[in-house]
C-alpha cells in the first residue's frame, strides 16, 4: 500500500527508471566504449599511466577486474585533466 500522493508515486517511478537505466543497463558505459575502441598505442599509454601491465592492452574492458577498471578510469580522468590544463600551449 502506497501512502503518498499520485504525484509522489510518479516521481518515484521516474527515479527508479533512471536508476535502472544508469546502473543496470545492458548497454556499454562510455568508459568501456572508449577503452574497447582505442588504438593499441592509446591503450598502451592508458594502461601505462594506470600502472597496469602490457597484457591488459589485449583485454576488453569487461575482462578487467573491478580494481583495474577503476585504475583505467582514474588514468583517463587524469589524462583528460592534464590535456584540458595545457590546451593551446603547445601549438
Amino acid at each position: 500500500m502506497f501512502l503518498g500522493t499520485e504525484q509522489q508515486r510518479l516521481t518515484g517511478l521516474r527515479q527508479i527508471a533512471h536508476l535502472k537505466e544508469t546502473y543496470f543497463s545492458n548497454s556499454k558505459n562510455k568508459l568501456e566504449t572508449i577503452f574497447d575502441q582505442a588504438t593499441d598505442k592509446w591503450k598502451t599509454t592508458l594502461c601505462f599511466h594506470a600502472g597496469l601491465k602490457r597484457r591488459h592492452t589485449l583485454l576488453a574492458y569487461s575482462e578487467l577486474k573491478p580494481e583495474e577498471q577503476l585504475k583505467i578510469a582514474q588514468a583517463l580522468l587524469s589524462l583528460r585533466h592534464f590535456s584540458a590544463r595545457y590546451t593551446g600551449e603547445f601549438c
Side-chain angles (χ1 to χ4, degrees):
M1 181 175 158
F2 183 72
L3 298 177
T5 65
E6 183 63 20
Q7 180 66 28
Q8 290 171 328
R9 186 181 78 78
L10 292 175
T11 301
L13 290 174
R14 278 195 303 275
Q15 291 296 328
I16 290 170
H18 175 70
L19 291 172
K20 280 181 164 180
E21 181 182 322
T22 302
Y23 296 106
F24 303 105
S25 176
N26 290 332
S27 65
K28 291 184 172 183
N29 66 32
K30 290 179 184 178
L31 186 59
E32 185 175 4
T33 303
I34 290 169
F35 186 81
D36 289 344
Q37 293 179 357
T39 64
D40 290 339
K41 189 173 183 177
W42 173 240
K43 268 189 176 182
T44 301
T45 301
L46 191 57
C47 287
F48 174 78
H49 190 64
L52 302 176
K53 306 287 184 196
R54 180 172 286 283
R55 67 177 178 83
H56 292 100
T57 63
L58 304 174
L59 301 175
Y61 184 80
S62 60
E63 297 172 325
L64 297 172
K65 296 176 185 173
E67 58 271 7
E68 295 166 344
Q69 291 178 353
L70 178 61
K71 287 181 179 182
I72 291 291
Q74 291 170 337
L76 189 60
L77 289 173
S78 174
L79 291 170
R80 179 180 172 207
H81 176 71
F82 176 80
S83 66
R85 186 173 182 183
Y86 295 105
T87 299
E89 290 190 23
F90 296 113
C91 296

